[in-house]
Amino acid sequence: MLVSTKGRYALRVLIDLAEHQTGDYVPLRAIAERQQISEKYLEAILKSLVRGKILTGMRGKGGGYKLAIAPEELAVGHILRLTEPALATVSCLAEHGEKCGRREECRTLPMWQELDSMILAYLDGRKLAELTKKDGPGAGGI
């Protein structure tokens, strides 16, 4: 599994919003400047997070984005499922991946399934709030 730039940036942006939440909407430009992400690319990421109901957005004066889910309740796994085409370790386990003709006799399939379960359990067990702590998981940068 390789997490794309989109997934990593989504986490950075959500951490930024969690750290700057005041109840008001945070302008796209402010997020882009703090995170050094182009506004155009950032807008595409934010749209997928709004569609996934992680963020709410408002256009116009006073507009921007804010979290729709508390950081303590928002699982990293949920975020990555919205931004990544697949979180599977091997293509035959991806939701829309190629199904292998040897699946029935595959001796490695149970190992890959167990690894996927462990990874997803780890990501689902991590909350956005943990990533906002300077000395917590992810403190080395995303």
Side-chain angles (χ1 to χ4, degrees):
M1 172 178 64
L2 182 66
V3 177
S4 70
T5 303
K6 184 177 181 183
R8 294 191 327 268
Y9 283 8
L11 288 171
R12 280 177 42 192
V13 166
L14 291 169
I15 292 166
D16 184 280
L17 286 169
E19 291 176 339
H20 293 92
Q21 62 183 344
T22 62
D24 295 331
Y25 287 92
V26 179
L28 174 78
R29 177 167 286 160
I31 301 166
E33 287 175 8
R34 283 194 298 264
Q35 294 303 315
Q36 299 177 329
I37 302 171
S38 82
E39 288 185 38
K40 185 173 180 153
Y41 190 48
L42 182 57
E43 193 168 24
I45 294 169
L46 294 174
K47 278 184 184 180
S48 66
L49 298 174
V50 168
R51 273 194 308 272
K53 298 183 180 8
I54 288 178
L55 296 178
T56 56
M58 186 173 87
R59 293 187 182 272
K61 188 169 173 66
Y65 297 89
K66 64 181 175 179
L67 294 173
I69 300 173
E72 299 78 18
E73 298 174 17
L74 186 52
V76 171
H78 181 69
I79 298 162
L80 293 177
R81 282 183 187 88
L82 293 173
T83 59
E84 299 302 311
L87 292 177
T89 52
V90 291
S91 61
C92 64
L93 292 178
E95 186 177 341
H96 300 293
E98 184 178 317
K99 299 301 175 203
C100 177
R102 297 183 42 84
R103 189 177 181 92
E104 296 303 317
E105 61 264 1
C106 181
R107 298 214 180 156
T108 61
L109 183 62
M111 176 188 68
W112 298 125
Q113 289 170 323
E114 185 177 0
L115 179 59
D116 278 9
S117 293
M118 290 168 55
I119 291 170
L120 293 175
Y122 175 81
L123 293 173
D124 288 338
R126 296 256 85 98
K127 303 299 181 194
L128 182 66
E130 295 174 49
L131 300 178
T132 63
K133 297 177 178 128
K134 302 285 186 229
D135 58 348
I142 298 175

